[in-house]
């Protein structure tokens, strides 16, 4: 069975030595002392290792089953969900007015990594509930919030998001689900939704669906979409459960991965629903939680990379195969461990450099979400909105790539199901697709986010990098190994942005054809910034003689690898971008 151990030292390092959350003036951050976060993460790590991780393979092998209209989850899932609820983990960063603990989202993100790495399919039940909670909390009436949120915070009731229809994925303007107004102020919801994760299961007393639908007579296209709260079981004014609503699970999808999560076709046959927010403003209501949701999906890419890397590193240390070309390093054994071979080390360092940089990037993004939620900072919201397509797209693309490399370390054994590496690869693959496919993330980044507020936030990012380089230029060793590579990557990114501004005005395809490369280039630079910040923190600790010297030395060595071997990929990205639209668009459609 695969192993999983919570990376507690690394999480503590990022939170307290790199981001220095304990020094922040943001509300709630005064509670984030090293002792407090360590205690929380240690308990979350035990839960992930001892309860969730052992069920990961069980969920993959057993999957979910639809029996007499009810979805049955894999063996052990319900008991584990009860344990999750009893510990209060589901309401960690939720509003205390509805039973939450009110902690900052950055702590919830750190805990979330542990949960999603240990069992991604299981994590989704609570994760999707949190997304539905956020949308209701932001947009529903006080009466609806009082009726639904307390039991969603505790996950006594879980939640879903219903967007996609059989004929309608990204282009939501085509959706057909309709909502007929009723005399009592409710609506009758009729239509079919597909790919609904956690659409039904046996672990909670109720499932609260958030459904996009159109009210007859409303505007055409996306301007006519409204958001509705549609419970599986009707809820009385006193909070008691009543009769079943008029909805059902049509089928369960058979998927490549995340078998432990029920992906449902949902049929609504005049189901009672309640308007969440304003009529015809459903997309605005749904998209208020998109930054949070896409940060969560980026965390899924990171999480699968983390657990796959842990297993690959352990295997490479243990598996004996061949001899080091420079001479035997295990002379008393029949062969040397895989770790001595340069190509194995290359694959492992690609993974290690990614997961540690991505962890810092995701937690940094979570601090911006906290800033916006607690202070209403438009600058924080703008910067996070700029970075979210990168967090979602880059982290899931590279997370899948890392899982594949981890599988490759195992050789033929990585292809055998009993080793568990196949599941990490299969589970990671969906994160590149849902919550906005990564091609859409790239288009959003280039087509919308770069120009948002007159390009203010993109320029603020470059200024932040420039100021960081200037403020830390005095250390010659750090400058050569970390700052100069970061400066070169940032210049490549700026050159690509200038190309889009110049060529894109004449031919929009010139920009869009390079959008995927730009998203990855941005990801490289963002992780380069994180690695430079981590290098400064690690060197400061070594200079001060505090902490685990081996940990900090390994951090610097891994960072040097990223700067020397991964960050220069921006040059390739830039070359592709500046080739323009012609290589992509010239081939006639009929020639494909």
């Amino acid at each position: 069975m695969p192993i999983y151990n919570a990376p507690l030292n690394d999480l503590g390092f990022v939170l307290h030595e790199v981001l220095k959350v304990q020094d922040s003036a943001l509300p709630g951050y005064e509670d984030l002392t090293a002792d407090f976060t360590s205690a929380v993460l240690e308990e979350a790590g035990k839960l992930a290792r001892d309860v969730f991780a052992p069920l990961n393979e069980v969920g993959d092998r057993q999957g979910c089953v639809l029996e007499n209209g009810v979805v049955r989850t894999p063996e052990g899932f319900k008991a584990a969900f009860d344990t999750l609820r009893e510990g209060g983990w589901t309401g960690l960063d939720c509003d205390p007015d509805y039973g939450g603990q009110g902690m900052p989202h950055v702590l919830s993100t750190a805990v979330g990594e542990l949960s999603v790495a240990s069992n991604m399919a299981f994590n989704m039940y609570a994760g999707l509930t949190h997304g539905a909670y956020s949308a209701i909390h932001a947009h529903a009436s006080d009466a609806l919030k009082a009726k639904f949120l307390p039991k969603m915070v505790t996950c006594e009731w879980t939640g879903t998001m219903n967007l996609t229809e059989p004929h309608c994925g990204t282009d939501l303007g085509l959706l057909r689900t309709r909502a007929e107004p009723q005399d009592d102020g409710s609506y009758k919801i009729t239509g079919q939704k597909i790919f609904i994760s956690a659409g039904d299961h046996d672990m909670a007393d109720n499932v609260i669906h958030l459904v996009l639908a159109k009210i007859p007579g409303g505007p055409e296209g996306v301007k006519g979409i409204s958001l509705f709260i549609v419970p599986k079981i009707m809820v009385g004014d006193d909070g008691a459960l009543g009769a079943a609503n008029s909805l059902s699970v049509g089928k369960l999808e058979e998927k490549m991965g995340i078998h432990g999560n029920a992906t449902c076709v949902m049929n609504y046959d005049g189901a009672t629903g309640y308007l969440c927010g304003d009529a015809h403003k459903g997309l605005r209501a749904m998209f208020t939680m998109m930054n949070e949701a896409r940060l969560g999906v980026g965390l899924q890419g990171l999480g699968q990379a983390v657990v796959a890397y842990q297993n690959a590193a352990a295997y490479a240390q243990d598996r004996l195969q061949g001899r080091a070309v420079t001479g035997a390093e295990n002379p008393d054994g029949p062969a040397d461990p895989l770790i001595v071979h340069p190509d194995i080390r290359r694959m492992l360092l690609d993974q290690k450099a990614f997961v540690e940089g991505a962890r810092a990037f995701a937690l940094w993004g979570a601090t911006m979400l906290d800033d916006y939620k607690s202070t209403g900072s438009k600058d924080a919201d703008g910067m996070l909105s700029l970075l979210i397509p990168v967090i979602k797209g880059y982290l899931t693309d590279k997370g899948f790539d890392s899982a594949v490399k981890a599988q490759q370390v195992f050789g033929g054994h990585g292809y055998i199901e009993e080793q568990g590496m196949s599941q990490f690869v299969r589970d990671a693959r969906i994160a590149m697709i849902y919550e906005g496919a990564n091609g859409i993330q790239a288009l959003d980044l280039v087509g919308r986010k770069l120009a948002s507020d007159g390009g203010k936030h993109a320029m603020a990012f470059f200024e932040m990098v420039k100021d960081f380089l200037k403020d830390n230029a005095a250390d010659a060793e750090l400058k050569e190994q970390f700052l100069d590579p970061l400066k070169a990557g940032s210049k490549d990114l700026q050159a690509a942005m200038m190309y889009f501004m110049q060529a894109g005005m004449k031919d929009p395809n010139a920009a869009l054809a390079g959008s995927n490369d730009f998203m990855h280039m941005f990801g490289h630079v963002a992780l380069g910034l994180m690695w430079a910040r981590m290098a400064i923190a690690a060197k400061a600790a070594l200079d001060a003689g505090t902490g685990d010297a081996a940990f900090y030395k390994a951090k610097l060595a891994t960072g040097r690898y990223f700067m020397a071997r991964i960050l220069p990929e921006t040059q390739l990205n830039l070359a592709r971008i500046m080739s323009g639209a012609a290589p992509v668009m010239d081939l006639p459609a009929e020639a494909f």
Side-chain angles (χ1 to χ4, degrees), residues 312-394:
Y315 186 81
Q317 296 277 9
D318 183 66
R319 171 77 167 175
L320 301 181
Q321 199 85 163
R323 289 292 189 191
V325 295
T326 53
E329 295 195 18
N330 179 35
D332 295 332
D336 290 331
L338 282 173
I339 195 73
V340 307
H341 302 300
D343 196 58
I344 295 293
R345 295 175 68 87
R346 172 191 64 82
M347 289 189 287
L348 290 173
L349 276 164
D350 277 353
Q351 297 164 61
K352 182 175 172 61
F354 167 70
V355 299
E356 293 179 16
R359 176 176 295 122
F361 188 26
L363 291 171
W364 182 44
T367 65
M368 296 180 209
L369 187 59
D370 280 329
D371 192 353
Y372 174 63
K373 283 186 172 182
S374 61
T375 71
S377 168
K378 293 184 178 180
D379 288 341
D381 184 49
M383 181 63 73
L384 179 62
S385 295
L386 171 70
L387 295 177
I388 278 295
V390 185
I391 292 174
K392 195 281 181 184
Y394 179 79

Side-chain angles (χ1 to χ4, degrees), residues 40-56:
V40 171
L41 292 172
E42 185 174 354
E43 289 305 310
K46 291 176 183 176
L47 192 64
R49 181 194 64 207
D50 300 336
V51 178
F52 304 155
L55 294 175
N56 199 35

Side-chain angles (χ1 to χ4, degrees), residues 97 118 148 306 422 451 463:
D97 288 345
S118 58
F148 293 106
V306 168
S422 167
E463 283 299 311

Side-chain angles (χ1 to χ4, degrees), residues 227-288:
L227 182 65
F228 298 89
I229 300 171
V230 188
K232 173 185 176 182
I233 308 295
M234 297 300 295
V235 181
D237 291 338
D238 59 355
L241 295 179
N245 207 348
S246 299
L247 57 90
S248 61
V249 180
K251 63 175 285 193
L252 286 181
E253 301 290 0
E254 295 185 22
K255 311 185 296 292
M256 176 179 175
I258 54 170
H259 295 154
N261 194 271
T263 303
C264 303
V265 172
M266 299 299 304
N267 295 321
Y268 295 90
D269 301 304
T272 298
Y274 308 97
L275 184 64
C276 182
D278 297 330
H280 316 310
K281 303 294 184 182
L283 278 191
R284 185 179 67 181
M286 187 69 80
F287 275 95
T288 51

Side-chain angles (χ1 to χ4, degrees), residues 174-212:
L174 299 176
L175 69 78
R176 297 171 183 162
T177 299
R178 66 183 187 275
E180 298 281 352
Q182 304 299 300
D183 292 340
D184 63 358
S186 67
Y187 291 77
K188 292 298 184 184
I189 311 298
T190 302
Q192 185 179 79
K193 298 289 184 174
I194 63 171
F195 305 156
I196 308 307
S197 299
D200 192 71
H201 56 88
D202 55 0
M203 300 190 298
D205 297 331
N206 204 357
V207 181
I208 311 303
H209 300 284
L210 286 188
V211 183
L212 289 180

